[in-house]
Amino acid sequence: MSRAREVSLTAVMAGGVAMAVSYAGPLALVLAAASGAGLTAQQSASWVWAISMGAGLTCIGLSWWSRAPVITAFSTPGAAILVTALPQYGYGQAVGAFLVSGVVVTLLTATGVFERLLAWLPEGLVAAMLAGTLFSFGAGVFTSLPGSPLLVAAMLLSFLLARRWAPTYAVVWALGVGLAVAAATGGLHVDLPGVGWASPELTVPEFSPGALVGIGVPLTVATLAGQYAPGMAVLHAAGYRPDSRVVCGTTGMASVLLAPFGAHAVNPAAITAAICTGPEAHPDPGRRWIAGVSCGAGYLVVGSFGSTLVALFTGLPKALVATIAGLALLSSLSGSLARTVAAAEEREAAVVTFLATSSGMTMGGVGSPFWGLLLGVAAHLLLRFRFHPGSRLRLLLRLRGEPARFGGEHSDLETARGTKVGHQLSDDATDRTPGDAEPTGDRVVRESLGQQA
């Protein structure tokens, strides 16, 4: 095998790993939301097909177009929100909320308004909403422990050991160990009569004010803050400069087109993108785009068997699904909690947001993520806003151009130790930990979202 083919193989493998990690935990959230809402097997399979096709096509198209490893995925924070929010509404109403959310995301990212909105909304409050949403999943690992101590303990131990020695593959290891323990103890009840091709099912969107507020608003905020900003920051931290408006606008349009088939959100990936943007994928940065194409191809293949995936996950022990979902979200939860209490001036309002969101309350048919964010903003204004001459002018200036703060020093992604050279980022050569995306804080996100040359 020639050297060129050998190193290209590493890029293909990196894309395959990124695809596997994308499915390992988040898919459990999607199917948990579908099960809680009483969706049929056909509707669930269509949902899996839609998010897989959206991620696969955008991954391949954007990577080929930009010659950069543009990894896309389906929104994990969005899926987490839907686990509690989706059962409160009809499926047609949820699809309508998906559609409207996709349109809003596309408009905000393609026009550059997103950056200015983030500058106005306190980071700690958005982080608190995400943390409150994810809290129940983290707790689910330990509430599952008394009923299935061997299974949960084995998965937790393997996850922690892998986090120390091979952090990129920690979730995959935990899932593999969980499947092995469940099989050994007779806990697997998977009935696969045969390989079934996915058959997408079109659902007519229904536009309900309750669903638009209870699903659409939290889904939009969580996807933009939790996926778009850090996702673009990962690419920029690795020295890639694809037009963010094209990348974000394309994934937004994919969400809109596939929403009637069940796709809740397609967006730039963050953590899995780091697998494909470093030298481990390919020593030549100009050849790492192959990893993006490989990842996208994997999405298309796996998504084509959506009904088989649904049948497989349906037969898994509930404790295994709950544990893998909680472990997959552990890094996101810890990062969100850190940002929740990071800024002293935002701390009390952020805690209000966290408590209200994690309570799971419902008022007026609207779920807790929206109320948590609304109450947090109200608390922040009451505690911090000062009415004095010039305040209106400063607020207007902030809305017009203050840089967004997401992806900063308290982000899930580490702050880079590199330096900027022209339009590239020179990373610390001694730090090559897989999965360490290392964005450069405010500057990277500002450049990622609308500061194109």
Side-chain angles (χ1 to χ4, degrees), residues 344-432:
E345 67 275 10
E346 300 173 2
R347 191 169 297 158
E348 291 178 305
V351 170
V352 168
T353 301
F354 171 76
L355 293 175
T357 304
S358 61
S359 71
M361 67 174 183
T362 300
M363 292 195 305
V366 178
S368 61
F370 171 79
W371 291 116
L373 187 61
L374 181 63
L375 292 172
V377 170
H380 179 76
L381 292 176
L382 288 172
L383 291 170
R384 301 299 305 171
F385 196 77
R386 298 287 190 271
F387 292 93
H388 54 76
S391 61
R392 182 178 181 184
L393 176 60
R394 279 192 293 274
L395 178 60
L396 289 174
L397 290 175
R398 190 178 186 188
L399 285 172
R400 289 180 60 186
E402 182 178 316
R405 292 179 290 158
F406 281 87
E409 61 177 338
H410 299 293
S411 173
D412 293 347
L413 307 171
E414 289 186 24
T415 304
R417 290 179 287 274
T419 56
K420 188 177 180 183
V421 182
H423 289 285
Q424 301 292 318
L425 291 176
S426 176
D427 196 6
D428 186 341
T430 63
D431 184 10
R432 294 300 184 190

Side-chain angles (χ1 to χ4, degrees), residues 1 68 157 225 283 315 365 370 373 418 436 449-450:
M1 181 181 294
L157 179 61
F370 171 79
L373 187 61
D436 182 3
L449 301 170

Side-chain angles (χ1 to χ4, degrees), residues 231-242 244 425 444 447-449 452:
M232 292 306 301
V234 169
L235 283 171
H236 281 232
Y240 295 102
R241 294 293 184 273
S244 63
L425 291 176
V444 172
E447 294 175 350
S448 301
L449 301 170
Q452 300 300 318

Side-chain angles (χ1 to χ4, degrees), residues 52-241:
S52 300
M53 294 301 109
L57 293 174
T58 54
C59 218
I60 293 174
L62 291 171
S63 296
W64 182 277
W65 162 75
S66 65
R67 286 301 192 267
V70 180
I71 307 301
T72 58
F74 42 94
S75 174
T76 301
I81 288 173
L82 292 174
V83 172
T84 55
L86 190 59
Q88 303 175 35
Y89 307 96
Y91 184 53
Q93 295 176 334
V95 168
F98 297 167
L99 182 62
V100 172
S101 176
V103 172
V104 172
V105 166
T106 303
L107 293 176
L108 291 179
T109 56
T111 59
V113 175
F114 171 47
E115 179 187 10
R116 295 191 288 275
L117 288 177
L118 281 185
W120 178 80
L121 190 63
E123 176 186 3
L125 271 61
V126 177
M129 186 197 74
L130 292 175
T133 301
L134 302 178
F135 177 76
S136 62
F137 297 98
V141 175
F142 303 98
T143 56
S144 302
L145 187 59
S148 304
L150 179 61
L151 174 65
V152 176
M155 293 178 68
L156 181 58
L157 179 61
S158 62
F159 175 82
L160 294 175
L161 291 175
R163 284 293 296 173
R164 179 174 181 178
W165 303 110
T168 301
Y169 313 106
V171 175
V172 176
W173 271 106
L175 179 59
V177 169
L179 290 173
V181 172
T185 57
L188 287 180
H189 303 286
V190 179
D191 182 19
L192 295 177
V195 176
W197 289 93
S199 178
E201 180 174 292
L202 180 66
T203 298
V204 178
E206 300 175 20
F207 301 101
S208 148
L212 293 178
V213 174
I215 293 180
V217 173
L219 176 61
T220 300
V221 173
T223 300
L224 286 172
Q227 298 280 176
Y228 275 86
M232 292 306 301
V234 169
L235 283 171
H236 281 232
Y240 295 102
R241 294 293 184 273

